[in-house]
Amino acid sequence: MKNKKYLNRIFFYLQPLIFYEVVYRFLPLLSQFIIKSLHLSLFNDSLSWLINIFLCYLCPIGIGYYIFFQKNFFEKLAIGKLIITIFLGSITIYSFYWTFNNISFSSSANQTFVNSTLSNPSNFAIQLQILKSVLLAPFLEELFFRGIIMKTYFKNSNFGLDILISSLLFGLAHSHNNFIEVIPYIAFGIGLSLTFRITKKLQYPLIIHIINNVISSRELLSLYFF
């Protein structure tokens, strides 16, 4: 009985790591394999983007939410929590862009995204790419870095380790050339993690994350949606 209890505990702590490996390593490789097998141009046509979005975003969001959330982590918007979200969101987004603008980047992640998107010959594929960046990526990242990580490791730690670890992992998950360039994303992650810890609901940090990505993609949104 004790052995089973220990094994269940070990599996509990391994689940987020397994989920991360599947979502961020296996599924992208599987997506590329299927796209190449169908002789499609990788991310340069609509069908390849639909395959990528389904495998790398919709599937893990559905599976992750089903496995890790036994109760609803969304609720009808509460005025008090919405005010907290607006306050923390303003500070979070401001701190992100302040640190971003005061650090010398070899290549802006946003500019890289804009350039790669504009080089796509299919307008529908570009629209899918923008929707992925603005909606699906924030949803998946909040599900994993705030919902899963903060619920599993150092939950409600008195030392704020749940906030620090999830924010550090969030920063490191974004590709950069050196640690200095991770700082804006860690700062952004701290704001999102703090919002989740206070409100206990994923929808509030998700709102901040989506607004931030809309601001980052405003040039592309104005070109292809308005």
Side-chain angles (χ1 to χ4, degrees):
M1 193 70 179
K2 280 188 175 182
N3 289 336
K4 185 177 180 181
K5 183 179 179 181
Y6 287 133
L7 287 174
N8 288 338
R9 197 67 179 169
I10 291 171
F11 182 68
F12 173 77
Y13 284 115
L14 284 177
Q15 275 184 320
L17 299 177
I18 296 170
F19 185 79
Y20 179 86
E21 289 296 316
V22 170
V23 171
Y24 289 98
R25 295 183 188 275
F26 174 73
L27 288 180
L29 290 175
L30 177 62
S31 171
Q32 291 181 29
F33 174 77
I34 293 174
I35 290 169
K36 289 180 180 179
S37 298
L38 294 174
H39 304 292
L40 299 171
S41 178
L42 193 62
F43 306 136
N44 279 332
D45 57 58
S46 303
L47 184 56
S48 65
W49 268 107
L50 286 171
I51 292 171
N52 177 263
I53 285 173
F54 177 75
L55 283 176
C56 299
Y57 291 91
L58 296 180
C59 284
I61 286 172
I63 293 170
Y65 191 82
Y66 177 78
I67 292 176
F68 291 97
F69 294 104
Q70 302 302 320
K71 60 180 181 178
N72 189 11
F73 260 66
F74 293 88
E75 65 178 5
K76 184 178 179 181
L77 288 175
I79 297 300
K81 291 180 180 179
L82 195 56
I83 292 172
I84 292 172
T85 300
I86 293 170
F87 175 72
L88 289 176
S90 301
I91 296 174
T92 300
I93 294 173
Y94 175 80
S95 66
F96 174 74
Y97 284 100
W98 186 89
T99 53
F100 192 92
N101 292 329
N102 284 275
I103 290 177
S104 177
F105 281 78
S106 55
S107 177
S108 163
N110 182 53
Q111 191 58 48
T112 301
F113 169 69
V114 170
N115 293 339
S116 66
T117 303
L118 290 175
S119 66
N120 199 316
S122 168
N123 283 348
F124 182 57
I126 290 175
Q127 291 173 335
L128 289 174
Q129 192 173 356
I130 295 170
L131 287 174
K132 183 268 297 184
S133 175
V134 170
L135 294 176
L136 296 178
F139 203 113
L140 180 59
E141 289 176 358
E142 291 312 306
L143 178 69
F144 180 72
F145 292 105
R146 252 58 64 183
I148 296 174
I149 292 295
M150 290 185 68
K151 274 169 53 69
T152 304
Y153 304 113
F154 305 101
K155 184 178 180 181
N156 293 327
S157 167
N158 292 328
F159 302 102
L161 290 176
D162 53 345
I163 294 174
L164 293 175
I165 289 175
S166 65
S167 303
L168 180 62
L169 292 174
F170 175 75
L172 293 174
H174 293 77
S175 299
H176 303 286
N177 295 315
N178 57 66
F179 185 76
I180 296 298
E181 296 183 0
V182 178
I183 292 175
Y185 296 91
I186 294 177
F188 186 56
I190 289 174
L192 295 172
S193 300
L194 189 60
T195 303
F196 177 63
R197 181 163 180 178
I198 292 173
T199 63
K200 307 295 184 186
K201 301 293 179 182
L202 273 179
Q203 68 198 64
Y204 298 103
L206 179 60
I207 289 171
I208 297 173
H209 202 152
I210 289 174
I211 291 173
N212 179 77
N213 285 21
V214 166
I215 294 172
S216 299
S217 305
R218 62 188 180 279
E219 178 184 345
L220 292 171
L221 285 167
S222 64
L223 284 173
Y224 291 95
F225 286 91
F226 303 105

